[in-house]
Amino acid sequence: MAATTALSLLPRLADELGVNSILRSSRDTKLLCLQRFTRLFAYGASTLILALYLSSLGTSDARIGLFMTLTLLGDVVISFLLTLVADGLGRRRILVLGAGLMTASGTVFALSDNYWILVAASILGVISPSGNEIGPFKAIEESTLAQLTPTEIRSDIFAWYTLLGSAGTASGSIFCGWIVETLLSRGSRTDTGAYQIIFWIYAGLGLVKLGLSVILSEHCEPEPPEQRYKEVVELDDADTEGLLSDSEDGSDQGAKTRPRRQQSPIREPKKRSIWPSISRSSRTTLVKLCLLFSVDSLASGLISLSWITYFFKRKFEIPEGQLGTLFFFTNIVASISSLVASSLAKRIGLIKTMVLTHLPSAIFLALIPLPSQPWLAIIFLVIRSSMQSMDQAPRQAFLAAVVLPSERTAVMGIVNVVKTFSQSGGPVATGYLAGMGKFWISFLLAGAMKASYDLGMLKMFLGYRSPEEEKEVVKGKRKRDGRVDEQP
């Protein structure tokens, strides 16, 4: 009996967690999610050892922070330009180009130990100092997923997109940690040499991502703009004669004639600019979101994954293999929680889900540096990780809904650029504080800023209706008015 009940609940559970949505999604949707897993696997592997690699080259804490800041600033310029022209030049081409830059960066990091050459490679290429998204990929992929996915299951698809990204970061972290520890334990490599092996793997994963980008279909490209129509009045020859006749009969005949109305398409310009246009209403929403996201991203820059890894390594002397296992576990917890967020958003809405899950995460983030025992700090880290990603899928779905479809790639690109630019100020500040022995201040500041972001989202957007929701409300109102008119 219990087994039968459990089996009957499985379809409902699969629907709640969005399993049916991702399984029934298009081939391109699955390829985009697989690309994100591959990319975040590479980011997770490189981020775990990035600060340690620079430290093994004799780089000071302040210069490590400067390196991360310059990397993020370089990404601002590259990502901004690529995402703005992505719809005009072709989304698939930009994804291929980005994968090529990723491969080039990994190769340079594997071959060179010169600080300024590495800075140039990170600025011009794609290296993530935080373990999070960097480069033009995320904005293009999210815009494409929103285009490929119906509104009612969009939060499910974004939840799986987020989950696979977190799973990729987790897998990359544990893989990198144990590869490095194995190489060091055998004595076959120095610290620097072991870290450079990881960057060779990073370059190889860039090639894998390039291959996945090449096989995407043309359905990933922007949809042509909707054809607009103007109403044209056409008259029969007889009607025209009646209207033009000077006789009374002709006038009477013309007066009784009803002209036929047809819709004629307005001709669109043959050439479309590669530069996007954003409507006034979307610009207003975009400014508000950019202000809020900049606060959250600056906080993220203060405590990037590279800095958190460096903090646990320096304060508690945790080996690379155990660090990889730790962040594998935290990322797996984060990825599972993102599915719960999708189900929660269906019940209480996107904004409430974002705030109620992200605010506790900010509080536990501020508590991480306070314990003197590693086990308590790890508990705070795990609790924080269990909720830190729950706002991502609702946030992506909300951002996709509040702007017009033709604006999504540009708007998401601008948002990501603003977030990256804001984030770039964090690493150099943390490097300065770490050099002074006050690393803990970064965690407290980051927690306070993230909490402020959550409260700001609640204040500005609680009860906000997207254009799609407004359209549904108007459509429902018209249906009700039509039924009322039909009643005697």
Side-chain angles (χ1 to χ4, degrees):
M1 181 67 179
T4 305
T5 304
L7 288 174
S8 64
L9 291 176
L10 284 178
R12 182 177 177 183
L13 181 63
D15 188 60
E16 284 291 334
L17 298 180
V19 176
N20 295 331
S21 299
I22 192 66
L23 290 178
R24 295 169 184 168
S25 63
S26 66
R27 172 179 172 272
D28 288 325
T29 297
K30 295 182 178 71
L31 283 174
L32 289 170
C33 290
L34 183 58
Q35 281 194 49
R36 179 170 166 85
F37 176 86
T38 304
R39 184 172 67 254
L40 270 294
F41 185 100
Y43 290 173
S46 63
T47 301
L48 186 73
I49 49 93
L50 180 60
L52 300 175
Y53 174 55
L54 294 173
S55 182
S56 73
L57 298 176
T59 309
S60 66
D61 291 350
R63 293 188 81 186
I64 292 174
L66 177 63
F67 175 92
M68 295 181 185
T69 291
L70 292 176
T71 298
L72 293 169
L73 288 175
D75 176 64
V76 166
V77 178
I78 299 296
S79 297
F80 181 70
L81 293 176
L82 291 181
T83 52
L84 276 186
V85 301
D87 283 359
L89 296 180
R91 292 172 180 171
R92 290 174 294 174
R93 291 178 181 175
I94 300 301
L95 290 175
V96 168
L97 175 60
L101 293 174
M102 183 177 168
T103 300
S105 297
T107 303
V108 172
F109 270 72
L111 293 174
S112 178
D113 58 2
N114 182 279
Y115 178 81
W116 291 109
I117 291 178
L118 297 178
V119 168
S122 65
I123 290 175
L124 299 175
V126 180
I127 289 286
S128 175
S130 62
N132 296 323
E133 285 287 7
I134 195 169
F137 311 111
K138 186 170 183 282
I140 297 173
E141 289 173 355
E142 288 179 353
S143 176
T144 306
L145 287 173
Q147 174 181 305
L148 296 172
T149 307
T151 307
E152 58 270 14
I153 63 168
R154 193 174 290 158
S155 62
D156 290 339
I157 298 300
F158 278 128
W160 278 95
Y161 179 78
T162 301
L163 180 148
L164 290 170
S166 299
T169 303
S171 303
S173 296
I174 193 169
F175 173 82
C176 168
W178 287 107
I179 286 289
V180 169
E181 188 160 330
T182 300
L183 292 172
L184 294 178
S185 63
R186 291 178 178 177
S188 58
R189 297 273 177 176
T190 62
D191 288 1
T192 302
Y195 298 147
Q196 287 176 333
I197 292 293
I198 300 301
F199 287 110
W200 279 119
I201 297 172
Y202 183 93
L205 290 169
L207 290 176
V208 173
K209 188 192 176 315
L210 190 149
L212 293 172
S213 300
V214 168
I215 61 177
L216 289 170
S217 76
E218 61 182 8
H219 296 296
C220 294
E221 300 299 342
E223 294 177 336
E226 293 183 6
Q227 189 134 36
R228 293 175 296 159
Y229 290 86
K230 62 182 179 180
E231 201 170 66
V232 177
V233 178
E234 291 189 359
L235 300 174
D236 293 336
D237 291 339
D239 296 335
T240 306
E241 290 176 3
L243 286 173
L244 296 178
S245 174
D246 291 333
S247 65
E248 288 187 8
D249 294 341
S251 299
D252 294 340
Q253 183 181 357
K256 296 176 182 179
T257 302
R258 288 189 177 181
R260 294 198 308 272
R261 299 182 181 271
Q262 294 187 356
Q263 286 186 328
S264 174
I266 298 175
R267 292 182 180 178
E268 301 287 350
K270 293 183 179 180
K271 292 184 178 179
R272 187 181 68 181
S273 172
I274 64 173
W275 302 104
S277 61
I278 301 176
S279 63
R280 181 177 297 178
S281 60
S282 295
R283 286 199 298 267
T284 302
T285 303
L286 179 60
V287 169
K288 293 179 182 179
L289 288 173
C290 285
L291 288 173
L292 292 169
F293 289 162
S294 63
V295 175
D296 181 56
S297 297
L298 178 57
S300 297
L302 288 169
I303 41 83
S304 66
L305 182 57
S306 291
W307 275 131
I308 294 177
T309 303
Y310 193 67
F311 171 79
F312 276 90
K313 173 73 174 176
R314 194 161 93 169
K315 183 173 181 177
F316 301 116
E317 293 295 329
I318 301 176
E320 285 86 354
Q322 294 181 26
L323 281 174
T325 304
L326 170 62
F327 288 105
F328 169 80
F329 180 73
T330 57
N331 279 289
I332 288 297
V333 170
S335 64
I336 295 173
S337 66
S338 64
L339 291 182
V340 179
S342 174
S343 179
L344 187 62
K346 295 174 184 176
R347 288 167 170 76
I348 66 173
L350 298 174
I351 296 297
K352 290 181 181 179
T353 302
M354 290 164 60
V355 174
L356 294 178
T357 57
H358 194 257
L359 185 57
S361 171
I363 296 171
F364 282 101
L365 171 64
L367 297 176
I368 289 175
L370 302 183
S372 57
Q373 298 296 321
W375 63 268
L376 186 54
I378 289 173
I379 288 176
F380 288 153
L381 178 66
V382 171
I383 296 175
R384 182 247 175 174
S385 300
S386 67
M387 293 177 284
Q388 70 171 14
S389 298
M390 291 183 73
D391 73 314
Q392 290 186 18
R395 181 169 59 192
Q396 291 158 347
F398 178 74
L399 185 57
V402 295
V403 296
L404 300 175
S406 60
E407 303 168 345
R408 282 176 185 147
T409 302
V411 167
M412 290 179 175
I414 292 170
V415 167
N416 286 338
V417 165
V418 169
K419 289 167 65 177
T420 304
F421 182 78
S422 302
Q423 190 177 346
S424 66
V428 69
T430 299
Y432 177 75
L433 291 170
M436 296 174 59
K438 297 181 179 179
F439 211 147
W440 58 273
I441 294 179
S442 296
F443 286 86
L444 294 181
L445 285 174
M449 293 172 70
K450 283 181 172 290
S452 300
Y453 153 77
D454 292 323
L455 297 176
M457 285 294 297
L458 194 64
K459 175 69 175 177
M460 290 189 183
F461 291 103
L462 185 62
Y464 180 87
R465 284 179 180 172
S466 68
E468 292 175 338
E469 291 171 331
E470 288 286 356
K471 188 182 294 184
E472 290 298 321
V473 170
V474 171
K475 189 183 295 184
K477 186 177 180 181
R478 285 177 178 173
K479 286 183 179 180
R480 289 193 301 271
D481 292 344
R483 286 196 296 268
V484 170
D485 292 340
E486 291 173 4
Q487 292 177 0

